[in-house]
Amino acid sequence: MSQKLVDYENLKKLNQPFFAEFQQSLKESVESGWYILGNRVKGFEDDFSTYNKSKFTIGVASGLDALILGLEVLGLPKGSEVLVPSNTYIATILAIVRVGLKPVLIEPIEQEYNLDPFEIRKRITSSTTAIVVVHLYGKLCRMNEIIAIAKEHELKIIEDCAQSHGSSYQGKKAGTFGDIGAFSFYPTKNLGALGDAGAITTDSDELADKLFYFRNYGSKTKYYNKYIGYNSRLDELQAGILRVKLKYLDAMNQHKNELAGMYLSKLDASRYILPVVQQDYFDTFHIFPIRHPRRDALREYLLTNGIKTEIHYPVPPHQQEGYKDLFPGQSYPISEKIHHSVLSLPISYATSKEDVEYVIQILNSFED
Ligand SMILES: Cc1ncc(COP(=O)(O)O)c(C=O)c1O
């Protein structure tokens, strides 16, 4: 009998149910003759605002650009300090550096993988101007506590929502708590395009107005440039694809939630550290992280049994070659511990319940 194979992700399979609708949308785009900032971008922005209950959505070229433009329009003093998790994807930190601000790394709560409000308080100085929260793996940060700290110290909040489309806390969606929400629609995201794409959410008329300028060369009227802007426009073709998939985002998140429920109830919790699920949080499990002290051996064992996994992430930002000089002599033990032991299990919309049953069975028979 041939061995069962479980992909970590299979984008063709994931997108297959939408192919007919994609083709219709792409056909309409091609035939419209309008290829930049047209009806599909506007339509997606409106749909995404309605979905999140945010006043504005501004489509941009990527998640990184959403963070860069979002930080830029806040007009924070150059060189001021921005608090950011020590265990995030590099884009969050890169965006801070790119706009001339100073990233200050904050350790997470180990079990939650998200920013520790207690640590935030400890690192605030007279130069701190903002907090970039990252709702990592699809779980929201402790936003009530973080908002209280930000108010107390007059700090701006930017939410990195690249991994949390549709996630909520007390019924309120990611991207609607802070001044700015930054989304990535990279193909593997819970809401993924067929290429690079991103968006910013905000309730501020002033910030939205600036962002509509900034993403388009600082211009709203052709050849008149009010600001020194960027070329970072959400593409019409991608916007059409995203409009199709947004209709199914809740169903896709529901599927991932059901798979997570299986892992949570059936994996041997005495051997693996499993994600915590808390009341009032709707987690969308962009990633299902488990931890084990012999992570690399476990990964190899899964692979020999036909199961592909990923590591999010193998090297923490402060130890990345290009970034080391930004954090000289600094250590982040919680973050380092997570990076050395974390393993992401298959939990795609394209992963079946049968696949997950198999992964559980193999994991529970690992001889550690
Ligand atoms: C937490 C986080 N922030 C930002 C990004 C950047 O998004 P993009 O790849 O669309 O630039 C990603 C994903 O790639 C991410 O996971």
Side-chain angles (χ1 to χ4, degrees), residues 62-64 67 88-89 91-92 134 160 162-163 184 186 189 197 313:
S62 69
L64 173 64
L67 288 163
T88 184
Y89 179 60
T92 327
V134 182
D160 183 336
Q163 304 191 2
S184 162
Y186 184 81
K189 302 302 186 200
Y313 299 94

Side-chain angles (χ1 to χ4, degrees), residues 61-67 88-93 134-137 160-163 182-189 195-198 286-287 312-313:
S62 69
L64 173 64
D65 278 6
L67 288 163
T88 184
Y89 179 60
I90 204 69
T92 327
I93 292 162
V134 182
H135 307 305
L136 202 69
Y137 303 151
D160 183 336
C161 307
Q163 304 191 2
F183 288 84
S184 162
F185 305 120
Y186 184 81
T188 56
K189 302 302 186 200
D196 278 310
H286 172 57
I287 280 162
H312 298 94
Y313 299 94

Side-chain angles (χ1 to χ4, degrees), residues 45 69-70 82 116 118 139 188 211 230-231 248 313 318 351:
E45 288 172 342
L69 269 69
V82 176
D116 185 343
F118 183 70
K139 176 182 183 58
T188 56
L211 286 162
Y230 294 79
N231 175 355
Y248 304 100
Y313 299 94
H318 67 283
T351 309

Side-chain angles (χ1 to χ4, degrees), residues 4 253-269 272 274-275 277 285 288 290 345-348 351-361 363-364:
K4 188 169 170 57
N253 281 343
Q254 183 54 34
H255 179 72
K256 285 163 79 75
N257 241 271
E258 284 167 20
L259 301 184
M262 291 170 67
Y263 282 135
L264 288 167
S265 62
K266 295 183 182 177
L267 276 178
D268 184 349
Y272 300 112
L274 303 176
V277 176
F285 295 98
F288 192 91
I290 61 166
L345 302 182
I347 191 159
S348 163
T351 309
S352 69
K353 291 187 176 170
E354 198 191 11
D355 291 336
V356 170
E357 284 292 356
Y358 175 66
V359 178
I360 292 167
Q361 178 212 320
L363 274 167
N364 284 345

Side-chain angles (χ1 to χ4, degrees), residues 241-256:
I241 298 294
L242 290 167
R243 274 195 102 176
V244 170
K245 280 180 87 174
L246 181 57
K247 293 187 289 178
Y248 304 100
L249 177 58
D250 284 345
M252 291 191 282
N253 281 343
Q254 183 54 34
H255 179 72
K256 285 163 79 75

